[in-house]
Amino acid sequence: MAVTGRRAAVGTRIWRNAQLATMSPALPGLGIVEHGAIAAVDGKIAFTGPEADLPAGLAANADMVDCGERWITPGLIDCHTHLVHAGNRAGEFEMRLAGATYEEVAKAGGGIVSSVRALRAANEDELVRQTLPRLDALIAEGVTTVEVKSGYGLDADNEAKSLRAARRLGQERAVSVRTSFLGAHALPPEAAGDKDAYVAKVADDMLPAIAAQGLADAVDGFCEGLAFSPEQISRVFDKAKALGLPVKLHADQLSNLGGAALAARYGALSADHLEYTDEHGAAAMAKAGTVAVILPGAYYFIRETKKPPIQLFRDAGVTMAVATDCNPGTSPLTSLLLTMNMAATLFSMTVEECLLGVTRNAAAALDIAGETGTLEAGKWADLAIWDIERPAELVYRMGFNPLHQRVWRGQ
Ligand code: DI6
Ligand code: FE
């Protein structure tokens, strides 16, 4: 359950005279309902469907909103971000423009570790202050739920500080926040290259403390040559499972270490990046119901050349989500709308796949499909109301925001 300090709306509100893209799995495609209406009671959807079918009892005493035939989608969900971080890495950006690869920058002591130094130097209030403008950019485009990872603290206190800052975002703004512990993101400077010793600290000290404080909704890891091996990730995931926490994984981003299949073996909520995933990994994900989270921002920004195997995922029946991966090193991206355009333009994902990827399928990647991600009765009234003539405009444009109004839990 997302932890937030804000309350849902009270009473009955009806949005009428609208075109609905419900994303309901009970309907084909985007689940479109023409001349539709949505009724919410105390912030939860009580009715979605043709306005003509609206129960009379709901309309009585309701606060009516005429949407002027605008389109309504579910509120958008950014299911993979490193939104809480300190400072920026524009200097490395210049290094890379001069020809250094992401891995060379990392080996030169730059990369994630430089963000670790910045995060450790910032207190919790400062982290929230630096993060809110990035969150506001997402909210301005209709995002109602955001996932936020730790991963720049890399010791018990700083990882907990990061996740407390993430939780506070849901107190400061009308938004739902899901958190993921990513202690297995990189090796901290003090580890002196001993990955096994650090992984043992992540699994045996940091993760139990984070879990005991209820700071994480899931546990994530970075399975990559420059990060952690499948065996080291398994050490962390075994502990997550023992603590009853679901897992997700940065997998097969720069090479094929079998990360997708590893994630599937643990019944992971999602495996993310996946540029180098093969048919074995795709089949394993489909069987396990692990969502593929596609992150075009990182692919674009580090000028990767290997595209994720979208057709393989389609053929295998893997559910696909799309997210910004907002982080200071490989994806300083705070536009989910632009992210959808990248997923379509760079990876040939369809409009339907992109829009489902930032709503219904993103909710599945966060294990909140019962709460939000579609316009269906029983879920939160998280809505985005758009000044568009057709849903494709949300994927087609680059750098334009047609949001008319955002509604979070009926507010
Ligand atoms: N893969 C990435 O692209 C980011 N983390 C990860 O596991 C990079 C994060 C950073 O460079 O700060
Ligand atoms: Fe990431």
Side-chain angles (χ1 to χ4, degrees):
M1 178 61 198
V3 177
T4 67
R6 290 177 169 261
R7 294 276 171 266
V10 175
T12 303
R13 179 165 292 172
I14 292 177
W15 294 266
R16 56 170 294 275
N17 190 20
Q19 304 285 81
L20 310 182
T22 66
M23 311 297 170
S24 165
L27 296 171
L30 299 177
I32 289 174
V33 174
E34 311 232 320
H35 311 301
I38 298 170
V41 176
D42 298 341
K44 287 270 177 112
I45 296 174
F47 169 86
T48 295
E51 187 170 341
D53 298 348
L54 190 64
L58 276 177
N61 309 318
D63 172 20
M64 300 296 275
V65 180
D66 182 341
C67 297
E69 296 182 11
R70 290 185 176 87
W71 279 90
I72 304 180
T73 68
L76 304 190
I77 301 170
D78 194 353
C79 69
H80 181 135
T81 87
H82 306 252
L83 213 60
V84 170
H85 59 263
N88 68 66
R89 304 239 296 274
E92 290 173 25
F93 176 65
E94 284 183 289
M95 269 175 73
R96 286 232 314 288
L97 288 176
T101 66
Y102 175 58
E103 286 184 292
E104 285 163 350
V105 166
K107 287 201 172 88
I112 295 175
V113 174
S114 61
S115 290
V116 171
R117 283 192 290 270
L119 181 116
R120 288 177 169 179
N123 63 35
E124 186 182 313
D125 290 343
E126 179 59 14
L127 281 182
V128 171
R129 189 190 67 75
Q130 289 195 33
T131 302
L132 282 173
R134 293 189 280 269
L135 176 61
D136 288 338
L138 293 175
I139 286 174
E141 289 189 350
V143 169
T144 50
T145 300
V146 63
E147 183 261 8
V148 184
K149 305 173 191 295
S150 63
Y152 292 114
L154 305 188
D155 64 32
D157 292 345
N158 285 290
E159 285 292 299
K161 176 177 74 178
S162 305
L163 292 170
R164 284 196 307 272
R167 287 273 197 244
R168 274 181 51 192
L169 300 173
Q171 315 274 335
E172 298 289 332
R173 295 290 187 271
V175 71
S176 302
V177 175
R178 299 289 284 178
T179 59
S180 300
F181 169 66
L182 178 57
H185 192 202
L187 208 54
E190 64 274 14
D194 188 339
K195 288 188 179 181
D196 284 335
Y198 175 67
V199 164
K201 193 172 289 185
V202 169
D204 299 338
D205 302 341
M206 294 157 70
L207 179 46
I210 293 289
Q213 299 168 70
L215 286 173
D217 299 304
V219 177
D220 195 344
F222 185 12
C223 185
E224 192 57 65
L226 63 82
F228 299 99
S229 68
E231 296 70 26
Q232 290 164 338
I233 293 295
S234 297
R235 181 92 166 68
V236 176
F237 281 9
D238 287 339
K239 178 64 73 164
K241 289 291 172 188
L243 292 165
L245 285 170
V247 297
K248 48 181 58 246
L249 185 64
H250 287 67
D252 305 335
Q253 178 183 2
L254 306 172
S255 65
N256 183 357
L257 296 184
L262 172 68
R265 216 164 30 250
Y266 280 90
L269 295 175
S270 72
D272 305 41
H273 285 289
L274 306 176
E275 279 82 345
Y276 288 81
T277 297
D278 57 22
E279 57 283 344
H280 170 65
M285 287 176 68
K287 189 158 180 264
T290 298
V291 175
V293 178
I294 305 303
L295 303 170
Y299 168 91
Y300 166 84
F301 195 76
I302 66 174
R303 286 180 280 177
E304 173 58 67
T305 53
K306 179 74 175 58
K307 299 180 181 182
I310 301 299
Q311 192 55 48
L312 210 51
F313 293 137
R314 288 182 185 127
D315 297 344
V318 175
T319 299
M320 293 189 282
V322 175
T324 62
D325 190 19
C326 179
N327 76 73
T330 65
S331 190
L333 173 61
T334 48
S335 169
L336 199 50
L337 294 178
L338 177 57
T339 305
M340 285 198 287
N341 177 274
M342 287 177 165
T345 304
L346 297 173
F347 300 156
S348 305
M349 290 180 75
T350 65
V351 164
E352 180 181 315
E353 287 169 336
C354 290
L355 288 171
L356 287 172
V358 299
T359 54
R360 185 171 92 203
N361 296 346
L366 299 178
D367 200 19
I368 53 174
E371 291 177 47
T372 191
T374 65
L375 302 177
E376 291 178 280
K379 299 192 180 180
W380 289 114
D382 294 343
L383 318 176
I385 305 171
W386 305 97
D387 279 318
I388 55 174
E389 288 167 12
R390 55 188 302 167
E393 291 178 57
L394 297 176
V395 182
Y396 152 75
R397 289 198 176 101
M398 293 185 280
F400 180 81
N401 177 12
L403 183 73
H404 171 72
Q405 188 176 39
R406 183 188 87 109
V407 177
W408 175 79
R409 297 192 178 186
Q411 294 181 53

